[in-house]
């Protein structure tokens, strides 16, 4: 492990919810919950104001509504979040060529590799400047952890939340980790935590005191060795600039179980097209097509088929998914469907074009226009962008009142609050859902884009 705290971990604060608050002046300082709004939806992110009520990510949305009935509940806008993420990742890449994104809002950076830091003071100054730059470019806040290893940098950023910076000085790691709960260490989830607790181990110090042999006996060789090393603050994992994706997949959970076999087939085809768009956006192709079906009784089935070579052809993926569906009994209804592609590669074998022709038939060998790469985020259903299905939180424009966002809709009406990121809280108006003066709109930038140089030049 290195001797200077030059590994940086950035974690944006309540990212989705904070982006929504910055975008919507009327929601600033209020409880905001982003996620699936149907009966089976889950919370993606809760603002810090919502967390006061006990709401947290991965919680069922129905439970969140009971805990915080007066919060604002919004459908995610993944395309918007991705744009902000690209701005943040761009700032990180000015610091070092070794940036390891973990998600849209989280990444490791090896500051030493980019010459941005070489000791404690330079690392701290770099972290301070990064937080200032992120706020200037995106209007949002992020928490920064600095340490000599990835594990400790991530722990530091957790301690820094929200909107802070924590640096763990080399030599102080053991004393810092010791009293922390065992769940603090990577790889100690609920199951491992329960297993350790039954053995009387609840803190990191107690993990270290148990010894390597005992941990191997309790958890197995690989997990026991790794956990003992982490308890001693040993973590030599490097920051890896390109994290290899193992699969690409999309799935939808339905508010009401689907029983109609034709409808199920159409849903699978639609998911296959979305999956291919995601593949192409990543510049990937894959050999193994995977179908996931969760039935009415919560039993989950997966079926897979491996092709002769990698493909990103929608006709091939649709046909393979349809064949897989034929082997699944759906008579009792399904509540979730998913299509994925694994065995990824960054190329496509030319001879698979013939396979696409066979799948599509002679008349349909030419690719359909709707299966070309689309600009809509793959996580959102196409209906959210077309067909005027007004989703809570999504952007709209009115020919008279200008830019706004959907507060809610139902019974043939849609309620819109008209405001922009740099306006005062706006007025609310209600329209018919088919009002020709109202149409979906693209999100506005949180910070007005200026042609002059970035804030780093000041």
């Amino acid at each position: 492990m290195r001797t200077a705290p030059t590994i940086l971990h950035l974690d944006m604060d309540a990212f989705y919810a904070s982006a929504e608050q910055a975008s919507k002046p009327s929601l600033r300082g209020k409880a905001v919950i982003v996620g699936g709004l149907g009966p089976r939806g889950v919370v993606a992110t809760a603002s810090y104001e919502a967390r006061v009520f006990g709401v947290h990510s991965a919680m069922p949305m129905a439970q969140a509504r009971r805990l915080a009935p007066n919060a604002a509940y919004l459908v995610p806008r993944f395309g918007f979040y991705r744009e902000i993420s690209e701005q943040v990742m761009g700032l990180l890449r000015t610091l070092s060529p070794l940036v390891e994104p973990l998600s849209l809002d989280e990444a490791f950076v090896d500051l030493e590799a980019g010459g941005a830091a070489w000791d404690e003071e330079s690392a701290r100054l770099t972290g301070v400047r990064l937080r200032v730059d992120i706020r200037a470019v995106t209007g949002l806040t992020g928490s920064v952890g600095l340490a000599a290893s990835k594990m400790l940098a991530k722990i530091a950023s957790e301690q820094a939340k929200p909107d802070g910076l924590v640096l763990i000085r080399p030599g102080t790691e053991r004393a810092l980790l010791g009293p922390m709960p065992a769940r603090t260490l990577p790889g100690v989830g609920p199951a491992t935590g329960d297993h350790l607790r039954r053995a009387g181990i609840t803190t990191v110090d107690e993990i270290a005191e148990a010894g390597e042999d005992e941990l191997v006996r309790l958890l197995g060789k690989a997990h026991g060795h790794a956990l003992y090393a982490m308890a001693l603050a040993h973590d030599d994992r490097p920051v890896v600039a390109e994290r290899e994706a193992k699969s690409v997949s999309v799935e939808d959970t339905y508010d009401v179980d689907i029983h109609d076999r034709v409808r199920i087939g159409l849903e699978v085809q639609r998911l296959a097209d979305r999956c291919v768009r995601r593949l192409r956006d990543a510049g990937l192709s894959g050999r193994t097509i995977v179908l996931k079906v969760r039935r009415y009784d919560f039993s989950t089935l997966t079926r897979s088929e491996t092709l002769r070579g990698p493909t990103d052809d929608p006709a091939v993926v649709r046909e393979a998914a349809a064949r897989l569906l034929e082997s699944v009994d759906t008579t009792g209804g399904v509540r979730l469907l998913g299509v994925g592609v694994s065995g990824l590669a960054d190329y496509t074998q030319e001879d698979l074009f013939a396979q696409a022709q066979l799948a599509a038939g002679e008349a349909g060998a030419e690719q359909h226009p709707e299966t070309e790469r689309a600009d809509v985020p793959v996580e959102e259903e196409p209906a959210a962008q077309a067909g005027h299905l007004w989703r809570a939180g999504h952007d709209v424009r009115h020919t008279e009142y200008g830019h706004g966002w959907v507060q809610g809709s139902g019974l043939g009406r849609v309620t819109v609050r008209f405001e922009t990121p740099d306006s005062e809280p706006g007025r609310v108006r209600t329209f018919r859902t088919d009002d020709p003066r109202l149409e979906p709109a693209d999100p506005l930038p949180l910070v007005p884009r200026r042609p002059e140089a970035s804030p780093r030049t000041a």
Side-chain angles (χ1 to χ4, degrees):
M1 191 169 74
R2 64 187 68 196
T3 58
T6 54
I7 300 294
L8 181 148
H9 181 260
L10 171 72
D11 196 353
M12 299 295 287
D13 299 320
F15 182 48
Y16 298 170
S18 294
E20 296 297 347
Q21 289 175 315
S23 177
K24 303 170 171 63
S26 59
L27 297 184
R28 293 170 190 169
K30 297 182 180 179
V32 174
I33 298 170
V34 179
L37 303 189
R40 294 173 182 161
V42 298
V43 175
T45 307
S47 70
Y48 287 100
E49 296 85 354
R51 296 180 191 188
V52 172
F53 299 99
V55 180
H56 56 78
S57 60
M59 172 182 285
M61 191 61 77
Q63 182 181 356
R65 288 186 184 276
R66 289 194 295 271
L67 293 172
N70 297 320
Y73 289 85
L74 307 176
V75 174
R77 298 184 292 165
F78 287 106
F80 178 51
Y81 309 146
R82 189 176 292 111
E83 288 181 6
I84 301 171
S85 174
E86 289 171 356
Q87 292 177 304
V88 173
M89 297 301 165
L91 290 173
L92 297 182
R93 292 187 179 99
T94 66
L95 302 177
S96 172
L98 294 184
V99 176
E100 183 178 341
L102 304 179
S103 61
L104 290 179
D105 61 338
E106 185 180 3
F108 287 110
V109 185
D110 187 332
L111 299 177
E112 189 174 10
W118 51 91
D119 59 11
E120 181 178 332
E121 184 60 24
S122 60
R124 186 184 297 277
L125 287 174
T126 299
V128 169
R129 287 196 302 268
L130 174 63
R131 293 178 57 238
V132 170
D133 287 353
I134 288 173
R135 185 186 287 272
V137 171
T138 71
L140 304 179
T141 64
S143 295
V144 167
L146 292 158
S149 70
K150 290 168 71 172
M151 177 187 74
L152 292 165
K154 185 172 175 62
I155 289 172
S157 70
E158 284 295 319
Q159 292 185 321
K161 283 189 167 294
D163 190 21
L165 182 150
V166 168
L167 182 147
I168 298 177
R169 301 179 64 185
T172 67
E173 299 95 344
R174 288 289 304 278
L176 175 75
L177 283 176
M180 290 185 173
R183 289 285 301 273
T184 303
L185 299 181
V188 182
T192 301
D194 287 344
H195 204 51
L196 292 172
R197 189 165 51 252
R198 286 195 295 270
I201 300 172
T202 60
T203 68
V204 175
D205 260 345
E206 289 169 346
I207 292 176
E209 291 167 2
E212 191 168 16
D213 291 342
E214 176 65 7
L215 292 172
V216 168
R217 187 187 70 79
L218 287 171
L219 305 174
K221 187 174 181 180
H223 201 176
H225 285 313
L227 192 59
Y228 181 68
M230 288 187 291
L232 298 180
H234 296 163
D235 177 20
D236 295 325
R237 294 174 299 159
V239 175
V240 181
E242 297 295 333
R243 291 169 57 86
E244 182 180 355
K246 296 181 179 179
S247 65
V248 170
S249 63
V250 295
E251 62 183 42
D252 277 342
T253 301
Y254 303 98
D255 294 343
V256 179
D257 291 350
I258 304 176
H259 294 81
D260 181 16
R261 185 75 177 186
V262 174
R263 164 86 188 285
I264 293 172
L266 291 173
E267 289 293 312
V268 168
Q269 300 296 288
R270 182 178 63 81
L271 290 166
D273 286 344
R274 287 172 57 196
C275 185
V276 168
R277 288 202 298 270
R278 188 171 185 180
L279 268 180
R280 290 182 167 184
D281 283 343
L284 297 171
S285 58
R287 296 183 65 233
T288 302
I289 315 302
V290 181
L291 175 71
K292 178 179 177 181
V293 180
R294 181 166 297 149
R295 298 189 291 189
Y296 69 99
D297 58 357
F298 285 93
S299 61
T300 302
L301 304 176
T302 58
R303 299 287 186 268
S304 64
E305 175 181 319
T306 299
L307 308 174
R308 295 196 305 262
T311 184
D312 67 349
D313 191 296
V316 174
V317 177
R318 282 197 304 264
E319 180 67 15
R323 286 194 298 271
L324 295 170
L325 180 61
E326 291 174 1
S327 66
V328 178
D329 180 10
T330 62
T331 52
V334 300
R335 59 178 51 220
L336 177 147
L337 291 168
V339 173
V341 177
S342 60
L344 300 182
D346 56 3
Y347 65 92
T348 304
Q349 286 188 194
E350 293 296 330
D351 64 356
L352 284 176
F353 180 68
Q355 189 171 347
Q357 288 181 311
L358 291 174
E362 290 295 323
E366 187 173 344
Q367 192 176 48
H368 297 292
E370 67 268 22
T371 62
E372 296 290 338
R373 284 184 59 172
D375 292 331
V376 296
V378 297
E379 295 90 340
E380 296 176 12
E381 295 189 29
Q385 301 293 324
H388 293 189
L389 179 58
W390 307 112
R391 295 187 179 276
H394 282 222
D395 298 85
V396 296
R397 176 165 291 280
H398 190 275
T399 55
E400 179 180 353
Y401 301 112
H403 191 94
W405 57 278
V406 175
Q407 280 201 327
S409 63
L411 301 177
R413 295 286 187 270
V414 55
T415 300
V416 177
R417 184 181 288 274
F418 290 97
E419 59 186 6
T420 64
D422 56 354
S423 74
E424 296 295 320
R427 297 186 62 181
V428 175
R429 298 182 183 275
T430 300
F431 309 91
R432 297 194 319 273
T433 54
D434 60 353
D435 191 318
R437 299 171 298 172
L438 193 67
E439 62 181 8
D442 293 329
L444 298 176
L446 299 181
V447 176
R449 296 190 174 104
R450 299 188 298 270
E452 58 261 29
S454 74
R456 294 297 300 272
T457 61

